[in-house]
Amino acid sequence: QRQFVESGGGLVQPGGSLRLSCVASGFTLENYGIGWFRQAPGKEREAVSCMLRSGDTSYRSSVKGRFTIIRDNAKNTVYLQMNSLKPDDTAVYYCGAEILGLVGSVCRTLDFNSWGQGTQVTVSS
Protein backbone atom coordinates (compact mmCIF):
# COMPACT_ATOMS: atom_id res chain seq x y z
CA GLN A 1 0.00 0.00 0.00
CA ARG A 2 1.38 3.37 -1.02
CA GLN A 3 1.74 5.76 1.88
CA PHE A 4 3.32 9.09 2.61
CA VAL A 5 4.36 10.50 5.97
CA GLU A 6 4.79 14.27 6.06
CA SER A 7 6.74 16.19 8.69
CA GLY A 8 8.54 19.47 9.25
CA GLY A 9 5.63 21.82 9.77
CA GLY A 10 5.37 24.30 12.61
CA LEU A 11 4.85 27.90 13.63
CA VAL A 12 7.08 30.44 11.88
CA GLN A 13 7.11 34.22 11.64
CA PRO A 14 6.48 35.97 8.32
CA GLY A 15 9.65 35.95 6.26
CA GLY A 16 10.87 32.76 7.87
CA SER A 17 11.65 29.38 6.33
CA LEU A 18 10.60 25.77 6.77
CA ARG A 19 11.57 22.54 5.06
CA LEU A 20 8.86 19.94 4.80
CA SER A 21 9.68 16.28 4.31
CA CYS A 22 7.56 13.51 2.84
CA VAL A 23 8.77 9.93 3.15
CA ALA A 24 7.21 7.36 0.85
CA SER A 25 6.61 3.78 1.95
CA GLY A 26 5.28 0.79 0.10
CA PHE A 27 6.51 2.00 -3.26
CA THR A 28 9.53 3.42 -5.04
CA LEU A 29 9.13 7.15 -5.28
CA GLU A 30 11.39 7.36 -8.32
CA ASN A 31 8.71 5.71 -10.46
CA TYR A 32 6.03 8.25 -9.64
CA GLY A 33 5.19 11.84 -10.19
CA ILE A 34 4.87 13.55 -6.84
CA GLY A 35 3.38 16.75 -5.57
CA TRP A 36 2.86 19.01 -2.59
CA PHE A 37 -0.61 20.34 -1.89
CA ARG A 38 -2.14 22.41 0.88
CA GLN A 39 -5.51 23.04 2.44
CA ALA A 40 -6.39 26.08 4.51
CA PRO A 41 -9.42 26.11 6.85
CA GLY A 42 -12.63 26.44 4.89
CA LYS A 43 -10.89 26.12 1.55
CA GLU A 44 -10.36 23.35 -0.95
CA ARG A 45 -7.06 21.51 -1.26
CA GLU A 46 -4.85 23.22 -3.81
CA ALA A 47 -1.68 22.30 -5.64
CA VAL A 48 1.55 23.93 -4.52
CA SER A 49 4.22 22.21 -6.57
CA CYS A 50 4.60 19.03 -8.59
CA MET A 51 7.20 16.92 -10.32
CA LEU A 52 5.28 14.95 -12.91
CA ARG A 53 6.29 11.68 -14.55
CA SER A 54 6.43 13.65 -17.79
CA GLY A 55 9.41 15.52 -16.36
CA ASP A 56 7.55 18.78 -15.89
CA THR A 57 8.01 20.69 -12.63
CA SER A 58 5.47 23.33 -11.73
CA TYR A 59 4.67 25.80 -8.96
CA ARG A 60 1.55 27.77 -8.25
CA SER A 61 2.16 31.40 -9.07
CA SER A 62 1.95 32.63 -5.47
CA VAL A 63 4.91 30.48 -4.37
CA LYS A 64 7.21 30.81 -7.39
CA GLY A 65 10.63 32.03 -6.38
CA ARG A 66 9.96 31.20 -2.72
CA PHE A 67 9.32 27.43 -2.66
CA THR A 68 11.42 24.64 -4.13
CA ILE A 69 10.42 21.00 -4.56
CA ILE A 70 13.27 18.53 -4.16
CA ARG A 71 13.24 14.80 -4.77
CA ASP A 72 15.78 12.46 -3.14
CA ASN A 73 15.26 9.06 -4.70
CA ALA A 74 17.96 7.45 -2.56
CA LYS A 75 15.95 8.35 0.55
CA ASN A 76 12.56 7.79 -1.10
CA THR A 77 11.72 11.27 0.08
CA VAL A 78 10.44 14.51 -1.38
CA TYR A 79 11.02 17.88 0.26
CA LEU A 80 9.44 21.29 0.01
CA GLN A 81 11.81 24.12 0.89
CA MET A 82 9.73 27.15 1.78
CA ASN A 83 11.36 30.57 2.12
CA SER A 84 9.97 34.06 2.67
CA LEU A 85 6.83 32.60 4.17
CA LYS A 86 3.67 34.66 4.29
CA PRO A 87 0.53 34.38 6.45
CA ASP A 88 -1.35 33.24 3.33
CA ASP A 89 0.86 30.15 3.28
CA THR A 90 -0.79 28.92 6.47
CA ALA A 91 -2.37 25.53 5.77
CA VAL A 92 -2.04 21.81 6.26
CA TYR A 93 0.46 20.57 3.69
CA TYR A 94 0.10 17.16 2.07
CA CYS A 95 2.09 15.18 -0.44
CA GLY A 96 0.58 12.90 -3.00
CA ALA A 97 1.55 10.56 -5.83
CA GLU A 98 0.49 11.01 -9.40
CA ILE A 99 -2.14 8.45 -10.35
CA LEU A 100 -0.58 5.84 -12.61
CA GLY A 101 -2.02 5.39 -16.05
CA LEU A 102 -3.38 8.89 -16.43
CA VAL A 103 -2.58 10.57 -19.71
CA GLY A 104 -1.77 14.23 -19.68
CA SER A 105 -1.63 14.60 -15.91
CA VAL A 106 -1.26 18.08 -14.53
CA CYS A 107 -0.53 19.43 -11.09
CA ARG A 108 -3.99 19.27 -9.52
CA THR A 109 -5.58 17.25 -6.75
CA LEU A 110 -7.72 15.32 -9.23
CA ASP A 111 -4.63 13.67 -10.74
CA PHE A 112 -3.05 12.64 -7.43
CA ASN A 113 -3.81 10.24 -4.59
CA SER A 114 -2.16 8.30 -1.73
CA TRP A 115 -2.33 11.34 0.52
CA GLY A 116 -0.44 11.42 3.79
CA GLN A 117 -1.83 12.75 7.06
CA GLY A 118 -0.46 16.23 6.43
CA THR A 119 1.69 18.62 8.42
CA GLN A 120 0.48 21.96 9.76
CA VAL A 121 2.28 25.13 8.70
CA THR A 122 1.32 28.33 10.51
CA VAL A 123 2.84 31.66 9.52
CA SER A 124 2.11 34.29 12.10
CA SER A 125 3.81 36.97 14.15
Side-chain angles (χ1 to χ4, degrees):
Q1 182 180 358
R2 302 192 309 181
Q3 264 189 316
F4 285 113
V5 177
E6 300 95 337
S7 62
L11 173 63
V12 63
Q13 292 186 341
S17 297
L18 282 174
R19 191 178 202 188
L20 305 183
S21 299
C22 178
V23 180
S25 63
F27 67 105
T28 302
L29 191 62
E30 183 177 9
N31 299 328
Y32 288 80
I34 45 85
W36 281 98
F37 299 77
R38 67 188 181 188
Q39 187 166 16
K43 294 187 177 181
E44 292 189 354
R45 190 171 300 186
E46 61 185 21
V48 176
S49 179
C50 298
M51 282 185 169
L52 300 176
R53 292 184 72 221
S54 64
D56 291 342
T57 298
S58 64
Y59 297 89
R60 71 180 301 108
S61 58
S62 62
V63 308
K64 279 182 181 178
R66 300 189 297 121
F67 290 11
T68 304
I69 188 170
I70 303 161
R71 182 203 296 258
D72 187 336
N73 291 330
K75 295 183 178 180
N76 223 32
T77 300
V78 59
Y79 304 96
L80 185 68
Q81 178 66 44
M82 306 187 296
N83 300 326
S84 302
L85 282 161
K86 304 175 180 180
D88 284 349
D89 297 319
T90 296
V92 178
Y93 283 70
Y94 301 87
C95 51
E98 187 178 342
I99 297 173
L100 288 179
L102 285 181
V103 177
S105 296
V106 297
C107 190
R108 61 181 181 181
T109 56
L110 194 63
D111 293 352
F112 285 73
N113 61 9
S114 302
W115 306 104
Q117 84 291 346
T119 185
Q120 175 71 48
V121 172
T122 303
V123 185
S124 175
S125 56

